[in-house]
Amino acid sequence: MAVMAMAVGSLAAAGPASGADSQPATATAKAVRGIPTITTQTAKVKGGSQKVHSANIGQNFHSWPECKPGASTMEKVVWNLGKVTRSSARVKSVKVRYYNERELHVGSAYVHDGNHRTQWLKANGWYIPKGPEEWRTYKINKTVKFSKSKPLNFMLKVQMATANEPAWCHARTDLTFQLKPNR
């Protein structure tokens, strides 16, 4: 019970997906059990610049009794876009807000087009320290195509640091931020 209360307090402190969103404490408590690992946002078809904010996604292992406290991570992104058409988007950069209760290893980050072909890749891995939040900006500067029915995406491959517990308490996770045009 103390672990769940700590998880609710910690994840609620990370805040809503945008300044306009607000959730009562009961809604946040329900969301802690099943944080999604994929989210889709819509960009406006227009010639100028725009920023698109994602929802929070992540991974939570608090509900398993074998996992020690602090086995969760939650991220969101801000897409910094240039011209968006019905068939492509100029992705200038992606800014990621990491919120993790343990050190987080990010194995790689990708931008895939609508056909799931890699258009940009940052590999070799890096660590995000434990903490309330840390922002990192990834410069992309690519025009990426949508497919007819599939969005482009920014994907992070992440894994929580171990704390002498079973492997499923720090499993590798793919976090996927999808972007589609408002057709």
Side-chain angles (χ1 to χ4, degrees):
M1 187 66 156
V3 169
M4 184 53 96
M6 189 166 115
V8 171
S10 299
L11 293 177
S18 70
D21 295 340
S22 64
Q23 297 176 339
T26 56
T28 303
K30 289 178 186 173
V32 167
R33 287 193 187 270
I35 302 170
T37 58
I38 189 168
T39 183
T40 303
Q41 275 58 57
T42 303
K44 294 178 184 173
V45 173
K46 68 180 210 174
S49 294
Q50 63 181 296
K51 291 186 189 278
V52 177
H53 297 259
S54 78
N56 289 321
I57 64 173
Q59 191 59 270
N60 175 39
F61 299 103
H62 284 297
S63 59
W64 292 326
E66 304 88 11
C67 301
K68 294 181 179 178
S72 67
T73 183
M74 187 166 38
E75 283 71 34
K76 72 180 260 181
V77 302
V78 178
W79 295 87
N80 182 13
L81 305 172
K83 181 180 181 179
V84 176
T85 68
R86 292 176 187 234
S87 61
S88 67
R90 179 69 180 177
V91 181
K92 295 178 181 177
S93 65
V94 176
K95 187 175 180 181
V96 180
R97 193 244 12 236
Y98 294 96
Y99 175 83
N100 41 294
E101 296 176 317
R102 291 187 190 169
E103 183 177 70
L104 181 71
H105 178 253
V106 182
S108 53
Y110 301 85
V111 172
H112 294 132
D113 63 17
N115 294 311
H116 204 68
R117 288 188 298 253
T118 302
Q119 299 299 314
W120 177 88
L121 165 66
K122 178 175 173 50
N124 301 327
W126 57 97
Y127 290 94
I128 306 296
K130 170 186 169 181
E133 73 177 36
E134 180 167 326
W135 288 90
R136 298 261 174 116
T137 301
Y138 303 99
K139 297 203 181 289
I140 312 294
N141 289 322
K142 297 259 182 191
T143 298
V144 184
K145 293 184 177 185
F146 302 108
S147 75
K148 287 185 178 181
S149 61
K150 295 183 182 166
L152 62 89
N153 70 56
F154 177 76
M155 185 183 343
L156 295 167
K157 293 191 176 276
V158 301
Q159 183 175 20
M160 299 296 299
T162 182
N164 296 323
E165 60 200 344
W168 58 85
C169 296
H170 50 94
R172 291 182 201 148
T173 305
D174 291 347
L175 302 177
T176 306
F177 300 90
Q178 296 182 327
L179 183 72
K180 63 181 184 176
N182 65 340
R183 298 182 180 175

